Amino acid sequence: MPHRIAVLALDGLLPFELGIPQRIFGRSLGSDPRTKGRNLYEVVTCSVRPPGPVRTDADFTITVEHGPEALATADTVVIPASYELGPVYAEGRLTDELAAAFAHIRPGTRMVSICTGSYVLAAAGYLDGRPATTHWSSADHFQRLFPKVRVDPDVLFIDDGDVLTSAGVAAGIDLCLHIVRRDHGTAVANDVARRTVVPPHRDGGQAQYIQRPVPETQFAATTTARAWALGRLERPILLRDMAQQESMSVRTFTRRFREEGGVSPVQWLTRQRVERARQLLESTDLSIDQVARDAGFGTPTSLRQHLQAALGVSPTMYRRTFRASRS
């Protein structure tokens, strides 16, 4: 059966963010012989009340066809942002309606928030003692209201296993694609991203762009160097070579690269090579030695060290776990 996702629509919701789960999960199709062409997720939208209208922050309402009982059937619950959270936002506590709705959720259900939907998860106690993020403009207030939560205001999303949180708006797309990639692999996530016309992968640790000063247009030009590096990941790439692609000094290039993405060129390059290694481990039968070479790590030892640091598993275990999850 498809993995069932319930999206909880709250009054004051942002229509864009409400639509993200349906767009990403609802368009995720199987790619292996067992599931090819089949929907991998079933997405339903529900309210804390019986079926009926739910207000948005726009000049229209939406009609939701499922009540809170739909939460009892969910494998994953997604909570988009809302501008009418009331005591959740002001006092850090659930309303009676929300508490009654959350009582339907089964233990072990994966919980996901988009933007300020994290307030609801925190008020329900799901984030106590955990790392979490939210929209950068709410991070300070969120931390004061929920001191038990380890708030990171700089990242796009945080995956803490069965509880995942994202920053504002488009970061919800990044998080949902990450979940698809985690559940079904890179090929499925990339296919959804292509059809949605969005980048297939922005790492969760990437900085929330809006929080940092936006560089002047003439200073925000490391795109050529990134594309050049992605086309030759299997070869040695020196920082000065990347800088030369933009006709910059190494010092200037490094500063501007960090301004654009929140990470250094070396950190970015390592993440791209880890992603390449993941794709090869998932989709090919290449030996670990060959994967290491094709991803640019050179040796199996280097590949093992970087994959362990990024994902906590060895290349062999990653391949075995991924394939077992699809059998």
Side-chain angles (χ1 to χ4, degrees):
M1 295 293 293
H3 183 101
R4 187 173 174 87
I5 293 179
V7 183
L8 184 59
L10 303 174
D11 282 327
L13 62 86
L14 283 65
F16 177 86
E17 297 183 15
L18 178 69
I20 290 172
Q22 177 61 52
R23 178 69 203 193
I24 301 300
F25 297 118
R27 299 297 180 92
S28 297
L29 303 177
S31 60
D32 60 28
R34 182 176 58 88
T35 63
K36 190 171 182 62
R38 290 166 48 191
N39 291 103
L40 299 172
Y41 300 93
E42 178 188 8
V43 184
V44 298
T45 305
C46 63
S47 170
V48 295
R49 300 184 295 272
V54 174
R55 294 190 303 276
T56 73
D57 75 327
D59 63 344
F60 58 84
T61 62
I62 63 169
T63 300
V64 176
E65 297 184 358
H66 301 277
E69 64 279 356
L71 296 171
T73 66
D75 303 301
T76 295
V77 172
V78 180
I79 305 176
S82 164
Y83 283 155
E84 296 182 21
L85 292 177
V88 174
Y89 184 87
E91 305 169 30
R93 65 175 179 85
L94 296 180
T95 63
D96 291 342
E97 272 188 335
L98 266 173
F102 267 66
H104 289 279
I105 299 174
R106 297 172 297 173
T109 300
R110 182 166 60 187
M111 304 297 292
V112 177
S113 67
I114 298 175
C115 193
T116 54
S118 55
Y119 277 80
V120 179
L121 291 186
Y126 283 95
L127 300 182
D128 286 354
R130 290 180 179 262
T133 193
T134 191
H135 194 285
W136 64 270
S137 65
S138 299
D140 289 342
H141 175 265
F142 185 84
Q143 185 65 90
R144 290 194 303 271
L145 194 63
F146 303 107
K148 293 181 180 179
V149 182
R150 305 200 307 271
V151 181
D152 187 344
D154 293 328
V155 298
L156 295 180
F157 61 83
I158 290 178
D159 179 344
D160 197 40
D162 59 342
V163 178
L164 302 92
T165 54
S166 76
V169 197
I173 298 176
D174 298 305
L175 177 56
C176 290
L177 283 172
H178 168 77
I179 292 171
V180 174
R181 186 178 298 106
R182 194 180 94 170
D183 289 351
H184 299 288
T186 301
V188 175
N190 286 355
D191 178 64
V192 177
R194 261 194 312 273
R195 287 186 285 114
T196 311
V197 198
V198 296
H201 180 69
R202 289 200 299 167
D203 188 82
Q206 187 169 327
Q208 292 189 36
Y209 291 126
I210 195 65
Q211 190 181 23
R212 301 174 184 274
V214 178
E216 297 293 335
T217 302
Q218 63 267 31
F219 295 153
T222 62
T223 302
T224 299
R226 293 171 193 260
W228 175 83
L230 287 173
R232 52 182 293 129
L233 284 178
E234 74 282 1
R235 299 180 235 172
I237 298 175
L238 300 177
L239 187 53
R240 68 168 180 266
D241 296 331
M242 294 183 69
Q244 285 175 358
Q245 305 306 308
E246 307 293 359
S247 300
M248 297 179 187
S249 69
V250 170
R251 182 176 180 181
T252 299
F253 176 78
T254 301
R255 184 180 74 250
R256 292 176 185 171
F257 195 103
R258 188 180 288 277
E259 285 174 347
E260 287 186 308
V263 296
S264 72
V266 173
Q267 290 172 319
W268 176 85
L269 193 57
T270 298
R271 288 176 180 173
Q272 303 314 308
R273 284 177 163 152
V274 167
E275 185 64 18
R276 174 71 61 81
R278 290 177 64 180
Q279 293 174 3
L280 294 173
L281 290 169
E282 292 176 12
S283 60
T284 75
D285 293 316
L286 293 175
S287 68
I288 300 302
D289 285 34
Q290 189 62 54
V291 169
R293 288 193 294 271
D294 288 356
F297 289 116
T299 68
T301 299
S302 179
L303 170 61
R304 190 176 301 109
Q305 290 172 344
H306 283 94
L307 207 66
Q308 187 72 40
L311 305 175
V313 295
S314 69
T316 301
M317 183 58 69
Y318 181 85
R319 172 175 274 169
R320 183 182 303 149
T321 300
F322 176 78
R323 292 190 172 179
S325 70
R326 298 181 64 174
S327 64

